[in-house]
Amino acid sequence: MCSSDLACQGETTSELDQAVNGESASELGQLRNLVDKKGPPTLVTITIGGNDLGFSSILKQCFVGGTEACLRAASSLYNTVTTGGASLIATLAATYQAVKTAAGDGTTVVVAGYPNLFPQPGGIGTALSVTYQCPWLRDSSFAVVPFGPPVSPLLNTLLATLSAAQAAINDDMTAAAGQAGVPFVPIPFSLQGHELCSSDPWIVPIGLIGGIEGDRNLGHPNVPGSAAIAAAVGSQLGLATANSGGGGGGGGGGGDRPRQTEIGRASCRERV
């Protein structure tokens, strides 16, 4: 399989056709250039929308403010994508349609959903484990004890709210894909057991130094995470996938050897 990664972290849907973050051309511009040089790709995968909702800001609130602040931010996000979901759906549908147009006739455009970034809620064991791995999810109303950060009684409520908000985002993406006439591939559990705040995360951990340095990889899948996402998408599309760590799109193999292009959820790259 020949693949091209045109993805970039930190961009909103409005920036998909703008050259930002040091790019010489926008993602859609790069896709058009690719089509001009090599013809339309067989498959284009895209994941976008989280930055429109300010998800990086939400993670920052969680890191700085602890469980209570994180729960308020997660609840606000849930309300936005449920009661105010119509606006996001319309924006995403228009974005997917723009990608279809740029990709050209004969290209299959697939929308890949977001994986769960945090573990699912559980009992006290889950709360203890998450707090140990991510001490910034502390209960700020309690004094710090010598044994480590205190476990917030709201932690499992927070995990449930985050899970519900991410599910609602994927629901909006599903609706938008339907409006644009492109398939949607759900992958909520593609990182199960390796989420943020697990003992072996396949997501780049949030940290103070990286935040100060403006590391845009924070909160995004690392190489094993990207490979797992690619495998999850590829399996649903009936494609064999290679563990290339290329990001959220499925790979290719078999007899037809599709040429794939990925847009969304990766570092800013121009590898065509």
Side-chain angles (χ1 to χ4, degrees):
M1 180 197 71
C2 176
S3 65
S4 301
D5 185 356
L6 310 182
C8 187
Q9 295 168 353
E11 293 190 9
T12 63
T13 53
S14 64
E15 295 172 325
L16 198 64
D17 206 12
Q18 300 177 24
V20 297
N21 298 317
E23 299 168 329
S24 61
S26 69
E27 277 67 47
L28 288 183
Q30 294 175 60
L31 179 57
R32 296 185 192 103
N33 292 338
L34 181 67
V35 171
D36 289 341
K37 292 178 181 179
K38 301 180 179 179
T42 304
L43 172 68
V44 172
T45 60
I46 179 170
T47 301
I48 196 168
N51 291 311
D52 289 60
L53 297 167
F55 202 78
S56 60
S57 176
I58 292 172
L59 291 178
K60 181 179 179 180
Q61 293 177 60
C62 294
F63 184 82
V64 173
T67 301
E68 294 91 335
C70 192
L71 180 56
R72 289 193 295 271
S75 297
S76 177
L77 173 64
Y78 178 79
N79 290 333
T80 297
V81 295
T82 51
T83 60
S87 176
L88 177 64
I89 291 170
T91 297
L92 291 176
T95 299
Y96 303 155
Q97 187 61 54
V99 173
K100 284 180 60 178
T101 301
D105 295 336
T107 298
T108 299
V109 175
V110 173
V111 177
Y114 284 103
N116 291 323
L117 295 185
F118 288 87
Q120 295 300 292
I124 185 62
T126 298
L128 287 169
S129 175
V130 169
T131 303
Y132 179 77
Q133 300 296 335
C134 290
W136 41 271
L137 283 177
R138 62 197 179 279
D139 188 334
S140 56
S141 65
F142 292 167
V144 176
V145 296
F147 311 106
V151 176
S152 170
L154 298 174
L155 187 53
N156 277 308
T157 300
L158 168 62
L159 295 177
T161 304
L162 287 167
S163 179
Q166 288 203 233
I169 293 171
N170 284 324
D171 286 345
D172 287 351
M173 295 171 72
T174 302
Q179 290 185 14
V182 298
F184 175 81
V185 176
I187 53 169
F189 300 109
S190 56
L191 302 180
Q192 189 168 17
H194 300 281
E195 303 94 340
L196 200 64
C197 304
S198 66
S199 60
D200 181 24
W202 287 351
I203 298 175
V204 180
I206 301 171
L208 180 60
I209 300 300
I212 293 174
E213 295 177 345
D215 185 354
R216 289 187 294 151
N217 288 314
L218 302 182
H220 289 79
N222 57 18
V223 172
S226 295
I229 289 170
V233 173
S235 67
Q236 294 189 56
L237 296 178
L239 302 174
T241 55
N243 291 331
S244 61
D256 57 354
R257 297 185 62 79
R259 187 159 62 84
Q260 175 210 339
T261 298
E262 180 198 0
I263 301 176
R265 193 179 39 227
S267 300
C268 294
R269 300 169 183 159
E270 298 178 41
R271 193 179 68 214
V272 298

